[in-house]
Amino acid sequence: MRIGELSRETGVAVRLLRYYEEQGLLASRRSSGGHRHYGPEAPAAVARVRTLLAAGLPTRVIRDLMPCFAGDGTEVQACVLDHLRDQLTAMDSRIDDLTRARAALGGILDASARALVG
């Protein structure tokens, strides 16, 4: 299927599909006229990419995971589970950092509001 067809089928903009291909997340072959053609597995690959991006994974991590899927869904092989656990731990750490930063900013706003009233 051509890129426009893949875009219509998946609801993903052509520009994003080209980006996914640049990042090694999606494969195509080129016709003699230079048009991209995608195989029948492409819609499932796009769905995986979208799901993993929504889960907060960067494209470099997704690229590493692409050969490790088990079946048509987002289930991955056991050999990459530790890598995903590391990603989750890092995400938890960023959430903790943001929570502390939010509390500090809230404190500044509260103190400022009290100073303006008093």
Side-chain angles (χ1 to χ4, degrees), residues 2-13:
R2 291 179 59 169
I3 196 165
E5 295 170 275
L6 183 58
S7 175
R8 282 187 295 282
E9 185 170 330
T10 60
V12 175

Side-chain angles (χ1 to χ4, degrees), residues 14-28:
V14 168
R15 183 172 162 229
L16 271 177
L17 294 173
R18 286 185 188 122
Y19 174 75
Y20 295 166
E21 193 171 338
E22 276 177 26
Q23 297 301 306
L25 308 176
L26 185 62
S28 72

Side-chain angles (χ1 to χ4, degrees), residues 52-75:
L52 295 169
L53 285 170
L57 294 177
T59 56
R60 65 178 168 68
V61 171
I62 296 171
R63 180 179 46 249
D64 293 343
L65 295 177
M66 292 306 281
C68 302
F69 285 99
D72 291 333
T74 55
E75 300 82 19

